[in-house]
Amino acid sequence: MNARTIETRRGCKVRVFEAGQGVPLVFLHGAGGLFAENPFLEKLAQRYRVFAPELPGYGESTGEEQLEDMLDFTLHGFDVIDALGIEKPHLVGHSMGGMIAAEMACVAPHDVSKLVLVAPAGIWIPENPIPDLFSFLPHEFAQMLFHDRALGEQLLTGGLDLRNMEALVEFYIGNARRLGMAGKILFPIPNRRLSKRLYRLRAQTLLVWGAQDRLIPPLYATRWREHLPQAQLEEIEAAGHMVPYEQPEAFVAAISRFIG
Amino acid sequence: MKFTWFNLMPWPHLPDDFRERHRSVWVDIPSRLFDPQEGHFVYNRYMDQLEYADEVGFDGIGVNEHHQNGYGIMPSPNLIAAGLARRTSRAAIAVIGNSLALYNPPIRVAEEFAMLDCISGGRLIAGFPVGTSMDTNYCYGQIPALTRDKYAEAHELVMRAWAEQEPFAFDGKYNQLRHVNCWPKPVQKPHPPIYIPGGGSIETWDFCLDHDYNYSYLSFTGYLRGKLLLDGYWDRVAKRGKDESPYRAAFAQTICVADTDEEAERLYSEHVSYFYNRCLHIYGGFADAPGYRTIKTIKHGAMSNMMEDMQQVFPTLTWKNLVDEGYIIAGSPATVRERMEHLIKGLRVGHVFCLLHVGNMPDDKTRHSTRLFAEQVMPHLRNMWPEWKDDDRWWCKPMENRLHPEENLQSARAHGKAPR
């Protein structure tokens, strides 16, 4: 995919990966950010014009100090769309990105085409609290996020050996920067009262969930559908929270069926 | 030199298998391990010890704030300080301190500290920690990446509330108050001495130097390890062109005094071990919420202090390790004196927070160690900084004509305290 850096009107510098032709589709990544390889984006780019911006604080995007709360994050999403010069894209948001995408669709319901929420954050069920990802030790992420733990370790560290002190420091700094940013809308509880705004959401919506998601378990899909009765649900087998990375083909197939 | 007797107030009844059975002494420690009726005795014993430290001549008595913490049962140090203010009239009352970002609105801190300064007749030392990640983020839910910003705003509000003579409006990002009017005000003008406890964030150095506040390095790893960090602080002081008064800095040190070195090990070893093995058993995942430390500080080498790292070290430490590597200063008065000289000169500090109650140390041993330090160590260390002897910029300025309410207590008379 090609990468370029755009500047939003607010003044954030955002690196955007892009590829493909056709109707615009914007992918919003989760709290961990994009990985070095994102095969599902390339597959999506065979059908759509795909844009994958990195949130400030992630990768090479900067200006994180300008985004402090949910409204900032939400408007930043539209600022990026404006800076890309596209209109009314399909939005696909994963985890934290799903939370942001849903907020965008509530705040400006006429500015979003179809909406795909992949194991989205943003709702909290007191009887089924989501594990506190902000207190995970480095070696715990893989087992919490992936159905296939070994694959998870490989993807999360990008091949770094965390027993090596330098690699650990590198991981630590990246993690502090990314999750420090994510914490502004996810800490200490990933609930910024989105559910009271969901009545505004008009976009046709698909929920995609990994059947073995241990971070935000599939029962959360049920709660989402109570708020969005028209939403479809696709549960994907042999996938944890990182469903786009674990089952890219099934993931892209589900989106293609939904968007067309 | 100024010596402040400090009690962290550890819960002294953590079970022998605490490490094996529980993942953390802090944040998610099972609350069933706290027994309120026993708490009655523990709190009163610890407060008695702080009063005893005043009696035997410590310059200050110190308390601090922790939440959901098995080694610090003091979520509100101000409550303890209020009790102490009424039972002592000589020592400074060092509250190190109130975590500003946790008070909503933080004007509460300006008010309570002003009350304490009035009740104590101007003996308050006001500490403003940013707070640990455990307390601030995991227990009290503050957003890690915004904690420092919120702290800075709260600091501005408190200082203005003390300084302004008329009500004012405060339009902050985290606090909007139409009518700020701090009532009461502190006795000490322009404000009580301010101490900023730090654990190694380099931004804190500049903050202290910007405002000429005392920088207090609080760690449990002792003076040999502390040197690296304080050297960095003094470098920064020099770069900023500030004078090098040792009273700009304070250091907390665990100290155990007995008649001989061997006696010190015999008397205190099990209590020190209780502290390092059980009290410091902190889950690594709670040590440092992502975003709490700035990237600059992480890069500066905070990793070497990573809690997870230390977790593997603490349980392996023997008494000899702890003494030789300076985690604790322990031994006969002569030994402790020599080590303290090394600490004071090596770190260039004018203030020492003396942790003389350690872990589950019983009352008699705590008093024994405290008295030996006061009588046989402290007097020899008084004049370590003769060229700065008149520098009282970081010490409280009590009222001359203040009251001595403790002398009215029947119990004081029973103990033979002479009324003034």
Side-chain angles (χ1 to χ4, degrees):
Chain A
M1 299 183 85
N2 295 320
R4 65 176 161 129
T5 299
I6 56 168
E7 184 164 354
T8 65
R9 288 176 67 192
R10 192 197 284 262
C12 296
K13 293 201 168 61
V14 176
R15 182 167 67 170
V16 185
F17 294 93
E18 60 179 300
Q21 304 290 324
V23 293
L25 180 153
V26 174
F27 177 81
L28 301 179
H29 62 71
L34 294 171
F35 291 160
E37 304 289 332
N38 304 282
F40 66 94
L41 289 177
E42 279 151 29
K43 287 186 202 305
L44 282 171
Q46 290 166 13
R47 298 179 69 106
Y48 312 103
R49 188 175 171 207
V50 173
F51 299 92
E54 286 184 302
L55 196 62
Y58 289 74
E60 289 175 16
S61 296
T62 56
E64 53 263 48
E65 65 287 346
Q66 301 190 58
L67 306 181
E68 291 177 328
D69 59 16
M70 194 67 237
L71 185 59
D72 287 343
F73 278 62
T74 307
L75 298 179
H76 170 78
F78 286 114
D79 290 347
V80 169
I81 288 170
D82 290 345
L84 289 171
I86 55 176
E87 279 185 13
K88 211 175 171 183
H90 299 301
L91 277 186
V92 181
H94 177 213
S95 192
M96 173 181 76
M99 179 182 184
I100 298 168
E103 286 278 6
M104 289 170 69
C106 294
V107 165
H110 303 289
D111 292 343
V112 173
S113 284
K114 290 188 178 178
L115 182 66
V116 181
L117 304 176
V118 189
I123 286 184
W124 180 257
I125 305 176
E127 314 82 71
N128 295 285
I130 296 166
D132 180 9
L133 87 136
F134 294 97
S135 66
F136 289 171
L137 297 174
H139 67 264
E140 289 177 318
F141 282 99
Q143 71 190 49
M144 293 306 297
L145 296 177
F146 286 84
H147 171 63
D148 178 349
R149 182 180 169 169
L151 171 72
E153 274 168 6
Q154 199 189 327
L155 290 176
L156 282 169
T157 58
L160 291 173
D161 178 3
L162 290 189
R163 284 165 304 183
N164 168 310
M165 195 60 183
E166 267 175 44
L168 191 61
V169 170
E170 202 54 41
F171 178 84
Y172 208 74
I173 290 172
N175 197 47
R177 193 165 168 251
R178 290 186 294 266
L179 288 188
M181 185 64 183
K184 293 176 186 175
I185 57 171
L186 301 180
F187 191 93
I189 287 178
N191 177 9
R192 296 296 186 264
R193 306 291 176 258
L194 167 62
S195 57
K196 74 175 185 186
R197 294 182 283 278
L198 283 175
Y199 76 92
R200 290 177 51 84
L201 195 148
R202 290 165 174 245
Q204 282 184 51
T205 303
L206 170 69
L207 292 160
V208 180
W209 232 281
Q212 286 77 34
D213 191 333
R214 280 186 283 271
L215 188 72
I216 308 181
L219 66 91
Y220 270 79
T222 312
R223 181 61 59 94
W224 275 88
R225 291 181 86 191
E226 287 167 17
H227 289 285
L228 303 173
Q230 309 303 326
Q232 302 172 36
L233 172 64
E234 291 252 17
E235 212 168 86
I236 294 179
E237 280 302 324
H241 189 65
M242 301 306 277
V243 53
Y245 290 93
E246 283 197 292
Q247 297 298 341
E249 278 161 23
F251 174 72
V252 171
I255 291 174
S256 306
R257 277 195 298 276
F258 172 67
I259 294 180
Chain B
M1 280 300 301
K2 299 285 190 195
F3 297 94
T4 293
W5 197 96
F6 208 88
N7 196 334
L8 296 165
M9 300 201 171
W11 182 247
H13 305 296
L14 299 173
D16 293 347
D17 58 358
F18 181 76
R19 279 192 81 84
E20 292 75 45
R21 296 198 45 203
H22 307 289
R23 74 170 181 173
S24 190
V25 78
W26 207 337
V27 182
D28 62 358
I29 180 173
S31 64
R32 65 176 182 278
L33 294 178
F34 186 86
D35 170 357
Q37 298 214 2
E38 179 57 20
H40 167 75
F41 296 104
V42 172
Y43 278 120
N44 278 284
R45 188 160 72 235
Y46 287 164
M47 292 174 82
D48 286 346
Q49 289 168 5
L50 284 154
E51 290 160 20
Y52 179 71
D54 168 68
E55 252 174 71
V56 299
F58 278 82
D59 303 288
I61 45 183
V63 291
N64 69 345
E65 172 179 334
H66 284 310
H67 302 274
Q68 304 171 201
N69 181 329
Y71 79 70
I73 54 169
M74 204 159 21
S76 171
N78 299 359
L79 290 181
I80 303 294
L84 298 175
R86 289 278 299 167
R87 298 277 294 245
T88 62
S89 59
R90 198 192 52 78
I93 295 179
V95 183
I96 311 290
N98 285 183
S99 301
L100 292 176
L102 303 185
Y103 292 77
N104 181 22
I107 190 75
R108 181 83 186 186
V109 174
E111 292 169 340
E112 289 194 4
F113 273 178
M115 287 175 71
L116 284 171
D117 206 37
C118 289
I119 297 168
S120 67
R123 289 184 290 139
L124 178 72
I125 288 174
F128 293 147
V130 172
T132 64
S133 198
M134 289 71 98
D135 288 325
T136 312
N137 307 131
Y138 292 105
C139 296
Y140 265 39
Q142 301 301 311
I143 292 173
L146 302 179
T147 302
R148 276 163 214 284
D149 195 35
K150 192 173 178 197
Y151 169 88
E153 180 183 307
H155 165 261
E156 185 195 339
L157 172 59
V158 169
M159 298 313 287
R160 253 191 94 186
W162 279 345
E164 297 272 356
Q165 299 302 314
E166 300 291 333
F168 64 95
F170 187 84
D171 179 25
K173 197 195 293 179
Y174 307 94
N175 304 278
Q176 287 190 312
L177 301 167
R178 184 62 189 83
H179 305 281
V180 181
N181 187 19
C182 187
W183 169 268
K185 294 261 167 136
V187 165
Q188 298 180 78
K189 299 296 176 207
H191 53 73
I194 291 173
Y195 284 37
I196 310 295
S201 292
I202 55 179
E203 289 77 10
T204 307
W205 298 343
D206 277 325
F207 182 74
C208 290
L209 295 172
D210 288 345
H211 300 278
D212 271 328
Y213 296 159
N214 171 287
Y215 175 68
S216 306
Y217 183 42
L218 309 184
S219 92
F220 302 121
T221 52
Y223 68 106
L224 295 177
R225 281 172 182 73
K227 179 155 173 52
L228 193 67
L229 195 107
L230 274 164
D231 282 351
Y233 169 70
W234 288 115
D235 278 351
R236 195 73 200 150
V237 172
K239 277 204 189 85
R240 296 282 305 265
K242 296 278 184 177
D243 68 72
E244 296 195 324
S245 168
Y247 293 101
R248 286 187 181 282
F251 189 73
Q253 177 65 50
T254 300
I255 303 167
C256 303
V257 200
D259 292 324
T260 64
D261 292 356
E262 298 72 33
E263 178 82 347
E265 178 172 0
R266 194 182 65 76
L267 284 179
Y268 306 125
S269 165
E270 66 172 292
H271 312 300
V272 168
S273 160
Y274 177 96
F275 183 72
Y276 281 94
N277 278 296
R278 297 183 216 176
C279 293
L280 294 187
H281 176 55
I282 300 162
Y283 179 59
F286 294 144
D288 192 358
Y292 167 77
R293 279 182 210 280
T294 61
I295 301 299
K296 197 169 146 199
T297 291
I298 296 175
K299 284 186 177 162
H300 190 255
M303 287 297 286
S304 56
N305 271 331
M306 258 181 72
M307 206 69 76
E308 206 187 342
D309 223 31
M310 295 312 293
Q311 281 302 311
Q312 286 156 24
V313 175
F314 288 143
T316 66
L317 295 171
T318 62
W319 174 264
K320 188 171 182 319
N321 294 142
L322 289 163
V323 171
D324 290 351
E325 294 170 29
Y327 285 84
I328 64 171
I329 290 182
S332 69
T335 301
V336 171
R337 207 152 66 214
E338 187 212 316
R339 293 293 185 101
M340 287 299 294
E341 284 171 3
H342 189 182
L343 178 156
I344 291 163
K345 284 290 179 191
L347 303 182
R348 192 177 177 83
V349 291
H351 304 274
V352 179
F353 295 123
C354 306
L355 302 167
L356 281 145
H357 172 274
V358 189
N360 61 349
M361 195 182 281
D363 192 50
D364 57 339
K365 292 187 191 178
T366 306
R367 286 172 188 251
H368 180 60
S369 184
T370 298
R371 188 175 48 75
L372 285 175
F373 188 88
E375 290 177 354
Q376 299 189 39
V377 179
M378 221 154 65
H380 301 276
L381 303 172
R382 281 290 177 204
N383 200 26
M384 296 281 292
W385 302 108
E387 66 278 34
W388 296 97
K389 70 179 164 43
D390 297 323
D391 187 3
D392 62 357
R393 284 175 289 172
W394 290 278
W395 201 247
C396 62
K397 318 257 178 333
M399 292 160 57
E400 288 293 334
N401 62 340
R402 66 188 180 279
L403 298 170
H404 299 269
E406 80 280 15
E407 290 171 3
N408 298 329
L409 291 169
Q410 269 191 345
S411 61
R413 284 190 213 103
H415 282 87
K417 273 192 200 169
R420 239 165 247 255

